[in-house]
Amino acid sequence: MYPWEAYQFRLYVERPEFSRLLNWIDDGSVSKQVTSLVAAPSNGKTWFLLAVRDKLRGVQNSNAPYSPKRLVIFCNAPVLINHDQSAGAALNLDGVTKWLEQDVIIESKHFCPTVTSIILDRGREPAAIVTDIVNALAAHKLPHTIVVLVDGLDELSDAQALLVESQILEPFIRTPNIRMIIAHRDEHKLRNSTLRRNNGDQTRLRLEPLPLPSVQEQFQKFKDAFHPSATHLTNTNLQELCKSLEFYRWDHPFINNFLFDTALKRTGVAIAQILTSKDLDDCLRAVIQRPKDANKPRFELHPQMIDALKAIAEKLSDDWTLTDLVNLGYQDRDPITQQLFSAGIAFYNPQSRRYQLADGIRELVRDLIKKESEGKA
Amino acid sequence: MNEPLFAAARRTSVIVSREKELAQIQDAIYRPGNELRVVLLKAEGGFGKSRLLEEVLWRAGNPQARQDFGVPAPEFDWTKLGDAIVANLIDLDDIRLHTRGFFMRQVREALRDTELTFARYATEDSRQRRLQVQQSDYATLQKAAKEAEDQFLEDYKINAQTKRIVLTLDTAERLAVPTSDWLLQRGLITTADLFFTTQNWLAEQIAKTCLPNTTLIIAGRPGEGKQFFEEIEKAIGRAKQANQPCEEIPINLEQFSLAETHQYFGILAQDWQKQAQDTNSLEAKNIAQVFSSLVGDNDRLKVLWLYTGGQPVRLSLYADLIVEGRTIPEQLDDSPEQVSQLVQNADALKQARLKIEDAFITLLFEDPANLRSQILRVLVRAPLGLNIDQLLFALDAPPGTNPKEWQPNPELRVQLNRELFTLDPKLPNLRQLSLIKPRAKDRIGLQDEIYRIYAEFKDQDPQPRHDEHLERKSLYTKLCDWAAWHQETWERKRALFQADDEQRLRFDSPATALSIHFRTISMEEQNDRVNIVENIREWELEHLHYHLLHDPYTVNDAYFDLAEERWLANDEEGDAITQAVMWRVIFDPYASKFFELPERPVVRARHETELQALRRAVVQDSVVRWIARFVLRKNLERANQFYNVVEQSIKQLSNPIEKHSWQHTFAFSDRMCWREYARILIGREMIDAIKELERGVQDCLKLVEADQETVVFPEREENGFKQHPAEKRLRRLIAWMYNWIGYGYTQLGYLKSANQAYSQALWNMRDAGYDAQRATTINNLSRALSDLGRQRARRLCLDGLEIRKRQGANIPIAYSWNTLALIDNDQIRPDRAWVEAATALAYFRRANDPRGWGLALIQLGEALRRLAYQAHQNQLLVQGRSEDIFEQAELALQEAIELFTNSPAASEIVRRIEAYIEMGCIQRDRIRIIDREKYPDEWRYRQREASSHLNQAIQLAREINLKRLELDARVDFGWLNYFRQDLNAADQTAREILADRRLVPEDRLLREYQIPPSAEHDEAYVYFQLSKLAHLRARVAMDCFLERVKEIEAPYPSPADRDKRHQLVHDDDQAQTHLHHAAENYVLASGYSHLFSVRSVALSVIWDTMYNYTKKFNRTELADFHKYVCQAREKYNADKIVPFNPANADEFLRASFGVG
């Protein structure tokens, strides 16, 4: 994990969907309690949720004493799961207890002191404990809507996700005063019947690519935080850097940060040549693998996968059919193809009714190919 | 990754509602009585017909259903109500079931697991299949089919005496006869014409109540099956009118009511709760919760009911979306009031449904990482259903993979097996889902409604439609390759046993020629062969199916290739099934949405689509096929009469576009072609028929040679066909017309015209496949060339034989062998001809084909006759006595005459005449070896027989104005007179013939001091016969000369008087006249022979006899004879004879291929 990957509200660049989501949370006429925040991998879902959390709590300034204005519970689903394969789909009771303690009870205590009386007995079903907490909150009749933010559900298997949904998340929405935002990839679906019923198709929020004006803001915040003394690259000549890539539209937060970091570190090179094919290759690997805390990649990246990505990006249009893929020499049954789909790098887009590579990644690969061919020439 | 469970698509443990319908069916099975009860179960697609049938089978104790679903609870177990034998479900979706023979076989198959036996039917059916595989004569096949049918009904009646038999037929709408509606509406096609169809057969059995003590449950869609159901209802009415014990039980299955919808979800909830308990699965519990909450939510339930119209299949799909769709479509959150209002507006409902269905299309078919989704994606594009190997190939093989070289992925096979067959309570296999429909031969397909929903969804916008088109094309290419490979694999097996059969034929002696048979094979081997051939046919049809889906314009070649191959092999049912396969694809309402036919401005100008134009062409072809079918049935008058009424009906069509299309030169010529062929076969008005065909050819050639922008016939508003999708088909039609023209000319003896027509036929089918038709034309051409004395005929014939062997068509192979025999007989190579004819005979005899059998016997007879005489003369190393060989020849011709007099082959009078002629020749030649002194009675008998047969031939030929055969028979009669040593009569006959200008036109004769006639005359046979006549007269003259020499020399026997004797002969006017006459006729014989063919074998016969005479001449005689020959040559301008030039490469190419 790169240092700049750690969330800081001051680095967050607000996106148009942000205010829409805040409006939804406080819209009393909304019939559904659950909404989905969907985007391709590394498109900033987690940061978005965390920014929503901080904004709602009113704790954007980390130097001020912590005094949240609203009860917002953040749930990183993978920490609730026992990842030992031999255990099948099972909760990680330590993780659940820790989360209940630190993220639910302590947070709730600011608004509802009675929750502290709830005993986190490991012998009880987590759902029962959550129900007790929710009941206590309901009894307290908070003046604002409680918000539960869920991340990482799409990194779990079907059975694991159902377990989290049923044991942890479902009890929350039994109370009308709670809104839940679940971030996941567009092709992922919720399993739990109650969550599904409360998850409206029309309120699904799709995180669009980063708008162009935000790039400068992101760059400035990034530079100030990590390379404050750099002078060779500033907002005044940022356009030069942007134009040095033909295809990439600078609309992907993770890729932007990676490339900003690379460019800011490197001096003595003309801005137009500052990014090399190796940089783009590294960036591509990083965005796909996205190593977690223990630097363990979330997705294994095989060399053939890069080849496949390059072939698709170079030879197919932005969206394509499986026949196009087959004509390229990749069967939809091939392990490589399957990995692309599993990692969410390639997916079926119900809007276009065709398949595509994730926005940003596709363009990055095209630039990589171009740079490589220029290098060879 | 989300694993779809298709939670609501599973078969419910208990059927929803349908109590009334089940009670009706239960009553139809168990009520006492032994009448035929016909349950007509009608409902639109997706209303649960198949589910109801499945329930009936299960409750009534069908062994297969019990094995699949277990023993029912006592309240559902009907078996205690009485004894009934319940056959397995027969799904009429299998296109082979469109014909009665296969249907009966399937009924027997459906009852195989029961106590009933069809032993006698099995024997007859086995024989019938064997004959079919051997491509027996049409009449033989029909007879065998009738015998099998009679035996089936007999066995059935015996079986039904003790217990009621329950037969269930699903997808009955598929049985509708593929033909033009107006043919049926106007009664142009009668019930009798349709005897081979299952629809008609079933109706007949119902009308005659031939299925006693039976409950016949027929399920189908009322709309698409209207024609079928009406026929069945009429049949029930006929039975009732005749007071036959027959009862109709109509059941119209309705959609689920709201209460039934409620019940449906209640059952689903119970089923999942039970599974949750049994497996302790959180997933199952979660799903049970979904359904339970639905049951408790009247508003949501009503919304679902309103959107789905209570259609069970839609209910299950919509419910599945609630359980596991990416999201629950917002429409399902509408209020019942909103939806009640919306459903009043059909368009709004359609739009709302499409939005909902968008979600389940994604769920079912678009998950790229999910195997089930991948399987369903392949299945939804392959309406025939696929087996596991096909699925594996479709999913695993990269494009362009040759199935032969493909190494299947073992891991994927295991996965597929698990998905299709493994029983797992947590995750039912695909076959257990209600959206899947098992098909014959371990295949699976989808419920019809799914194809419709999917197609309608993909058809909404141009881009997804085009994407779907490309995806399908890619899949169909693979499935085509797969079918072709299987077809080839089976064909190789067939080629092996066919080659083995021929290799094992033993040709020991011509004296035993008639006893040459293919070896007798065991029943097991026979069944293996039947299996091989039936497999080839199945894969051919499958190949055609995918070929058509891949490119519908293939109708213009691949379809006709196969249909005509069947037709040429006497296989009426095969022809009909081929047509049904094509019809189903072209009229497939779902698959056809993804045909992308190139735009044609001419069609658009008529405000039509290209598909509409193609469909109209297909409908028009159905009429043509009927005429061809009547010809196949040898029902030649019916073909003629049908053609006339069709033309009358076309004239009365009110829609001008439709009328114009039916009267288009192409469409008209297509019908006319077969009608004229029928007239040629009848043998009357042959010239008229040929002229009509020639007019058609000329018109069609104008069309095919002009481009589409060129107006060819302004008065008919017809443009050219170059680059038109049907250009190849038009070429094929032209080829057929030329072929029939050639055939007609051959019958009339106009061999050059025939040759020209055949070669033009070949030219028009060049580079276009048409193997079966091409082989037929090549065979016909080789025969015509042989009749013209061209030696290359044999090479050509061997070429045709090779094509036919590749196609594995027994009867056509046999015809090629027979033509080879004919060619070798023409070339006086009886040593080869008898083996070829005996081989042909073995084929025809095995297939019981009387026409071919008779023809082979004629050729065999001719070859044996020549061999017998050669044996008599010790000319050849022939094994066998001359008398024995003659005996065989005589027996062969007796049989041939019998076949062409009293068998289905009797309609071809020409063949009978040929048989009479050959029999006359055999008897005539026997006279030559009989010692008249020793065996006067036999001698008299033979000459009477010869005379009688030749006279019959002359008389018959005269009756039908067949000059070629009349002349042949009369010339042979002349030779009979010669061989019975009546020289005056022989000469008199020859002179009479020569004076007969009807048979021997003036311009064919070599005249004194005149320019010889042209060798290019059409009726070349006249020269051949004139040569034989002149030869006859030469021999008569020679014999007279020798007789006179004997008279002159008798008084001077002493060797010393030798010179005197020679001088006396030299000075004798009478002797010299004879010698002069002989020389002149030898010159004429050789001259005519030269005019006929420069390589004519007749010439060697002529020189043979001349040599035999002249070798005994003394010098004076030889000098005199030579002098007369020289004079005759000068007199008849022998040097100015311009024969056909065999060294002309241009002519060779023209005659062989029609080029230039």
Side-chain angles (χ1 to χ4, degrees), chain A residues 32 158 162 186 189 191-193 196 201 204 206 321-323 326 331-333 338 341 353-355, chain B residues 1-3 286 290 321-327 333 366 368 374 377 396-397 399 463 467 471:
Chain A
K32 307 281 185 184
D158 283 354
L162 179 60
D186 200 15
K189 63 195 169 202
R191 283 275 178 199
N192 176 271
S193 61
R196 286 176 62 77
D201 188 37
R204 175 173 278 229
R206 189 163 284 102
T321 64
L322 291 176
T323 304
V326 168
Q331 295 276 88
D332 52 352
R333 290 293 318 153
Q338 289 293 305
F341 284 117
R353 296 188 188 126
R354 296 183 124 211
Y355 296 83
Chain B
M1 191 190 306
N2 299 119
E3 183 69 33
N286 182 47
V290 177
L321 272 185
I322 295 174
V323 177
E324 55 187 337
R326 198 168 126 271
T327 56
D333 277 335
E366 302 294 1
Q374 289 166 351
R377 203 159 53 229
D396 185 47
Q463 184 63 56
D467 286 348
E471 302 265 0

Side-chain angles (χ1 to χ4, degrees), chain B residues 311-322:
Chain B
Q311 187 188 16
V313 72
R314 267 209 159 83
L315 264 177
S316 74
L317 291 171
Y318 283 34
D320 212 42
L321 272 185
I322 295 174

Side-chain angles (χ1 to χ4, degrees), chain B residues 465-484:
Chain B
R465 189 190 304 125
H466 180 65
D467 286 348
E468 180 65 16
H469 161 75
L470 294 176
E471 302 265 0
R472 284 176 185 246
K473 267 188 103 97
S474 165
L475 174 67
Y476 299 148
T477 303
K478 280 188 178 182
L479 293 172
C480 241
D481 290 347
W482 182 259

Side-chain angles (χ1 to χ4, degrees), chain B residues 1061-1131:
Chain B
R1061 288 201 299 271
H1062 293 173
Q1063 192 57 42
L1064 282 171
V1065 170
H1066 178 72
D1067 295 339
D1068 183 78
D1069 286 348
Q1070 211 179 340
Q1072 290 306 310
T1073 303
H1074 288 314
L1075 192 62
H1076 188 182
H1077 199 174
E1080 206 166 273
N1081 275 296
Y1082 268 118
V1083 167
L1084 285 171
S1086 61
Y1088 286 126
S1089 172
H1090 208 188
L1091 278 169
F1092 171 65
S1093 165
V1094 76
R1095 289 184 179 168
S1096 170
V1097 288
L1099 200 57
S1100 50
V1101 177
I1102 292 164
W1103 296 153
D1104 266 359
T1105 63
M1106 195 168 88
Y1107 179 78
N1108 283 341
Y1109 285 119
T1110 51
K1111 72 181 179 186
K1112 296 171 196 158
F1113 278 4
N1114 56 46
R1115 272 207 192 106
T1116 314
E1117 286 166 343
L1118 197 55
D1120 288 342
F1121 184 70
H1122 180 244
K1123 181 183 75 189
Y1124 295 141
V1125 162
C1126 292
Q1127 286 170 355
R1129 283 183 54 76
E1130 205 179 320
K1131 185 175 167 187

